[in-house]
Amino acid sequence: MKKTTTRLADGRELIYYDSRDDVVRDTPDPRPLDPVATASEIRHDRLLGDRVAVASHRQARTYHPPADACPLCPSREGRDSEIPAADYDVVVFENRFPSLAGDHGRCEVVCFTPDHEASFADLTEEQAALVLAAWTDRTAELSQLPGVEQVFCFENRGREIGVTLGHPHGQIYAYPFTTPRTERMLRSLAAHRETTGGNLFDEVVADELADGRRVVLEGEHWVAFVPYAAHWPYEVHLYPRRRVPDLLALDDAARTEFPQVYLEVLRRFDRIFDGGQAAPPTPYIAAWHQAPLRAAQREEFALHLELFTIRRTSGKLKFLAGSESGMNVFINDVPPEAAAERLREVASKS
């Protein structure tokens, strides 16, 4: 992998990740851009203990542009985009409309491919491995920024999720705090250690493998399963068999196998609702859970990826209504065992 760091016209950082070492990335950004002005602040909810990022400048962000005006495509045919080069492998750059900025963290955009019509599931194993390398490198770099406590790599796909740019891309948030969801995991982890002396993550994975009904896919170094108490209609958790706290700690064998396993899971997600016919791509969120940088139980935490869709059946979405939004009590319409069986069934389809 070759990494080339440069700057956009407004001073934002842009990084090219290339699979070839002989690629030269020296195309300047010719756009007359003003410096990015953000109004991001973080407020603390005293009742819940949550933090809320208030970012009014995001109201002006790009919203569903036509394909020929996509800011994530390469700059070609006289049209300048966020990526000055006429082609690329993987690109990461600072978000022009960040939710977190300055002393309140950092937000980056990850472009998986220059192909506007593709998706992550369409990548080759080599391309997916390069994305994994970029996620890992950004985790390492962002972890060194002052005040950053947790690095979150994720992908939102589909208008149903709220995606405003159709180009295949993800994001990385560098939070100046440990997120509430991770704090809950850490509390459960600590309580389990105190009660049983064991590691909760290890036992969850072992229990799913022993039960087998919710296992979707097994590799030599990764296992994918629908969790026992899945919140979403179709939800898969992907764990390395060897527990590690973050992407940086994955060994070479796990890195090599990851594209095979993850691409297969994503392709099965796209086949869940097809009914034997072409169907719209499945909307989903794919979220990497990494250990906070300074957590007391950092080495006890287990890196894993959580993938889920808000579609519960063909043409119907799972909405977060009163119980979910008001009380954070999820009601799942699809039994996890049935979801896992369906995800196993679609493996044989082309």
Side-chain angles (χ1 to χ4, degrees):
M1 179 190 76
K2 181 179 180 180
K3 175 183 175 183
T4 306
T5 302
T6 184
R7 293 279 174 180
L8 295 172
D10 54 11
R12 287 176 294 133
E13 188 174 25
L14 180 143
I15 308 106
Y16 293 98
Y17 293 91
D18 289 291
S19 57
R20 291 169 41 198
D21 291 335
D22 61 345
V23 177
V24 177
R25 299 296 187 187
D26 57 3
T27 305
D29 181 4
R31 297 173 298 169
L33 298 180
D34 294 327
V36 173
T38 63
S40 177
E41 63 173 308
I42 294 175
R43 297 186 179 184
H44 179 248
D45 185 322
R46 291 186 293 170
L47 290 179
L48 297 178
D50 292 349
R51 278 89 163 181
V52 176
V54 180
S56 59
H57 62 277
R58 285 177 53 78
Q59 288 279 37
R61 68 187 184 273
T62 308
Y63 187 79
H64 294 303
D68 61 2
C70 175
L72 307 185
C73 288
S75 294
R76 295 173 181 167
E77 301 174 354
R79 184 182 61 82
D80 298 318
S81 73
E82 288 282 70
I83 298 95
D87 201 5
Y88 62 83
D89 288 346
V90 174
V91 168
V92 177
F93 60 86
E94 288 185 73
N95 198 322
R96 191 176 180 185
F97 304 98
S99 302
L100 308 167
D103 294 337
H104 301 303
R106 175 159 157 152
C107 295
E108 298 182 340
V109 177
V110 184
C111 298
F112 303 139
T113 169
D115 185 352
H116 183 83
E117 301 302 327
S119 70
F120 201 115
D122 296 323
L123 301 183
T124 65
E125 290 183 10
E126 182 183 31
Q127 289 173 311
L130 186 59
V131 175
L132 176 62
W135 281 332
T136 304
D137 181 73
R138 297 317 301 153
T139 296
E141 293 289 330
L142 294 173
S143 296
Q144 300 302 313
L145 294 181
V148 169
E149 295 292 334
Q150 186 173 2
V151 178
F152 176 46
C153 306
F154 64 101
E155 179 192 0
N156 299 328
R157 187 177 81 161
R159 289 195 177 209
E160 301 92 333
I161 297 294
V163 174
T164 58
L165 296 176
H167 195 101
H169 72 288
Q171 299 180 66
I172 305 176
Y173 279 16
Y175 293 107
F177 52 82
T178 299
T179 63
R181 185 176 177 86
T182 303
E183 285 183 336
R184 292 179 67 179
M185 291 184 189
L186 291 171
R187 287 196 295 270
S188 297
L189 183 65
H192 188 82
R193 171 66 75 185
E194 183 176 350
T195 302
T196 70
N199 181 280
L200 180 57
F201 286 110
D202 292 348
E203 292 187 20
V204 166
V205 174
D207 289 347
E208 292 293 354
L209 287 171
D211 183 288
R213 291 176 297 164
R214 292 174 296 277
V215 174
V216 174
L217 186 64
E218 289 188 62
E220 183 179 354
H221 303 284
W222 294 86
V223 58
F225 58 86
V226 178
Y228 172 76
H231 289 57
W232 299 95
Y234 289 91
E235 176 180 344
V236 172
H237 293 189
L238 180 61
Y239 278 79
R241 290 182 183 270
R242 183 179 70 87
R243 172 168 46 86
V244 294
D246 56 25
L247 290 166
L248 280 72
L250 289 173
D251 60 25
D252 289 342
R255 292 183 185 280
T256 299
E257 187 182 78
F258 171 77
Q260 306 164 25
V261 176
Y262 187 48
L263 289 172
E264 174 61 20
V265 172
L266 288 179
R267 289 162 185 167
R268 293 188 193 189
F269 254 59
D270 273 343
R271 295 195 289 261
I272 298 172
F273 306 108
D274 65 8
Q277 301 177 357
T282 302
Y284 65 71
I285 293 175
W288 279 108
H289 291 259
Q290 304 194 80
L293 301 177
R294 279 164 280 279
Q297 307 122 287
R298 175 173 167 76
E299 296 306 315
E300 293 287 300
F301 195 89
L303 167 77
H304 64 285
L305 184 145
E306 297 185 7
L307 172 71
F308 64 88
T309 179
I310 62 171
R311 186 175 290 165
R312 56 188 174 87
T313 189
S314 182
K316 297 179 181 178
L317 301 180
K318 165 64 178 177
F319 293 102
L320 299 189
S323 185
E324 291 90 355
S325 294
M327 286 290 130
N328 201 29
V329 177
F330 277 69
I331 300 169
N332 192 349
D333 303 297
V334 180
E337 293 75 17
E341 182 177 7
R342 176 62 180 155
L343 285 163
R344 290 192 297 267
E345 287 175 351
V346 297
S348 60
K349 295 187 178 182
S350 59

